[in-house]
Amino acid sequence: MTIRLYDTSARQIRDFTPLKPGCVSIYLCGATVQAAPHIGHVRSGLNFDIMRRWFAYRGYDVTFIRNVTDIDDKIIAKAAEQNRPWWSIGYDNERAFDEGYTALGCLPPTYEPRATGHVTEMVEMMQGLIERGHAYEAEGNVYFDVRSFPGYLELSRQELDNLQQPAGAGESGKRDPRDFAMWKAAKPGEPTWATPWGRGRPGWHLECSAMAHKYLGTAFDIHGGGLDLIFPHHENEIAQAKAYGDEFAKYWVHNAWVTMAGDKMSKSLGNSVLVSEMVKQWRPIVLRYYLGTPHYRSMIEYSEESLREAESAFARIEGFVQRVVEKAGVVEPSPEVPLAFAEAMDDDLGVPQALAIVHGTVRQGNSALAADDKEAAVARLAEVRAMLGVLGLDPLDPHWAGEADRGEDLHGVVDSLVRLVLDQREAARGRKDWATADAIRDQLNQSGLTIEDSPQGPRWSLGPR
């Protein structure tokens, strides 16, 4: 089946046809590193990590570019506020983003270019646009003339006459207030680079147009990012690139936000949930499940209750995996995922529908275990591992091995203590004192343990908190 994706520019789901057979090129707008990442930031990275994994499963050779915006107004403002060098702010937060992506199991991009490393390419693009009549210099700034490009606003579908272009401080000399800055003239205390129009620094939109051109050429398959980037960022990227002569992106894919009380999670609203803090409270694989399993185009309303539900759901999957491994040893993933899972993923990355297949297979595997059908249980686990691998959620993957080891030293002690309590429960059951047996089980559940009665006797596992 052909992979199909919702293309924002077409406002519909389209069959994916690569520019080069067997290959897919993806540019994702990455971090602006003025602060450490919250879970809303890394959701985009997770969604496109799953896309990248699915294309690879389908046999495509994937080139995945995720940039770093390490110079812009917000970084400069943070540097002034904290009395630190701008590059220090950027570097520390870039590392925090890398740690967040890695903690949640995102594969590293093919290339991860920084904006400050590509000023030469930006200057070349501006020179070309000025020569073609699409840009102009004014008082050391360089602006894009939006009226010179007939296709402007086709992505966001706005009316030019009603447009209010966001503008930064010091953007003087514009011919039209709707024109946007590609290059900003030098200001006291700000970082600058030399150009034919004087010293200054790049505008945000120019950075991505230049880096996409550098690493993916004049045309590439998919441009991704959050919904909030459609305008002005992606709209202005398109104008610059196409006016320069590039075909640019063939498909535009946008992920929805993580919200709190209905508002987009953002640092400016003060409602951020930092990844560095979340991974102290929740297992990273559970955070990945929580952020990566809703459909990429659906909003996630953050709450601890929904996170606990995700933890419980993943525990059911992980419990099945562990039980089969205990019974049969490590089982390798199947070479292919079940057909229904593949059909769901091919249909605009339908992860919720695909996840239903995972849980259904887990239930079948648990039934096989209950019937002591080892062969069927092993077969189901092989399928489950294949599907979880695509989603980056296989608990047996080496990436997550450290999670299993974190409590290894205490496991034996805890097991001995729990066994003492379970022996008391078994004694109560033996004398048919069901009230005491149930009370012991309930107390263990309240302590965060799940008790399961099996033909081999009671067993415990960590349950939802």
Side-chain angles (χ1 to χ4, degrees), residues 184-263:
K184 302 187 178 187
K187 300 179 185 65
E190 290 190 357
T192 64
W193 288 262
T195 76
W197 316 285
R199 297 194 69 85
R201 62 180 176 85
W204 176 31
H205 316 303
L206 177 64
E207 296 171 352
C208 284
S209 295
M211 287 186 282
H213 178 90
K214 165 89 172 180
Y215 291 94
L216 297 177
T218 59
F220 58 95
D221 292 303
I222 298 169
H223 196 311
L227 284 172
D228 52 321
L229 300 183
I230 294 174
F231 182 84
H233 187 49
H234 289 166
E235 197 73 77
N236 293 350
E237 276 189 70
I238 292 170
Q240 292 164 153
K242 290 194 172 183
Y244 186 66
D246 290 357
E247 293 180 38
F248 211 49
K250 187 175 179 182
Y251 300 85
W252 287 85
V253 178
H254 292 91
N255 64 277
W257 303 326
V258 179
T259 61
M260 293 182 72
D263 288 323

Side-chain angles (χ1 to χ4, degrees), residues 31-215:
T32 299
V33 288
Q34 86 270 21
H38 56 64
I39 59 173
H41 289 129
V42 297
R43 183 194 181 183
S44 180
L46 277 173
N47 289 152
F48 284 90
D49 182 64
I50 292 171
M51 173 192 283
R52 180 239 192 107
R53 288 170 183 264
W54 183 244
F55 272 115
Y57 172 82
R58 280 304 200 193
Y60 286 90
D61 182 8
V62 182
T63 301
F64 180 55
I65 310 299
R66 186 183 67 211
N67 77 291
V68 175
T69 297
D70 60 342
I71 182 67
D72 85 332
D73 294 349
K74 295 176 182 177
I75 295 171
I76 293 170
K78 284 285 184 181
E81 177 186 311
Q82 299 178 22
N83 194 28
R84 292 173 58 192
W86 64 272
W87 43 262
S88 173
I89 297 282
Y91 179 69
D92 284 352
N93 291 314
E94 181 181 342
R95 291 184 63 188
F97 268 89
D98 285 343
E99 289 167 1
Y101 289 134
T102 300
L104 299 187
C106 292
L107 300 172
T110 310
Y111 305 109
E112 192 168 22
R114 295 187 183 97
T116 54
H118 297 80
V119 172
T120 298
E121 290 83 358
M122 297 178 205
V123 171
E124 290 176 356
M125 183 167 279
M126 285 188 288
Q127 287 175 321
L129 289 169
I130 290 173
E131 291 168 3
R132 292 169 174 80
H134 292 292
Y136 58 94
E137 182 273 337
E139 302 176 22
N141 302 294
V142 178
Y143 298 108
F144 187 91
D145 180 356
V146 298
R147 289 191 176 275
S148 73
F149 181 65
Y152 191 59
L153 301 180
E154 286 184 355
L155 181 66
S156 58
R157 300 194 179 183
Q158 300 182 76
E159 294 292 335
L160 184 60
D161 290 341
N162 299 327
L163 180 68
Q164 291 188 352
Q165 186 81 252
E171 293 187 8
S172 57
K174 283 187 181 182
R175 297 174 185 171
D176 186 311
R178 289 162 292 197
D179 294 345
F180 62 86
M182 294 191 293
W183 191 261
K184 302 187 178 187
K187 300 179 185 65
E190 290 190 357
T192 64
W193 288 262
T195 76
W197 316 285
R199 297 194 69 85
R201 62 180 176 85
W204 176 31
H205 316 303
L206 177 64
E207 296 171 352
C208 284
S209 295
M211 287 186 282
H213 178 90
K214 165 89 172 180
Y215 291 94

Side-chain angles (χ1 to χ4, degrees), residues 265-329:
M265 189 173 286
S266 69
K267 291 179 286 292
S268 62
L269 290 176
N271 59 6
S272 302
V273 183
L274 295 180
V275 176
S276 58
E277 295 302 314
M278 293 294 285
V279 296
K280 296 175 184 176
Q281 303 172 48
W282 303 89
R283 294 172 59 205
I285 197 170
V286 169
L287 282 176
R288 182 179 177 101
Y289 184 97
Y290 172 67
L291 293 170
T293 53
H295 195 275
Y296 75 91
R297 289 194 285 120
S298 64
M299 297 292 182
I300 298 175
E301 175 67 18
Y302 171 79
S303 71
E304 286 205 6
E305 181 182 357
S306 58
L307 246 171
R308 283 192 293 270
E309 290 171 357
E311 182 182 48
S312 179
F314 185 72
R316 291 194 293 273
I317 296 173
E318 192 172 36
F320 165 68
V321 174
Q322 292 170 346
R323 285 191 290 274
V324 179
V325 170
E326 289 173 7
K327 193 176 188 69

Side-chain angles (χ1 to χ4, degrees), residues 419-444 453 458:
R419 289 293 166 193
L420 287 174
V421 179
L422 289 178
D423 287 345
Q424 295 174 13
R425 178 172 176 263
E426 285 301 291
R429 286 163 60 90
R431 61 178 182 266
K432 298 185 179 181
D433 184 357
W434 309 118
T436 299
D438 290 346
I440 292 173
R441 182 198 60 209
D442 292 343
Q443 287 176 344
L444 290 172
D453 293 311

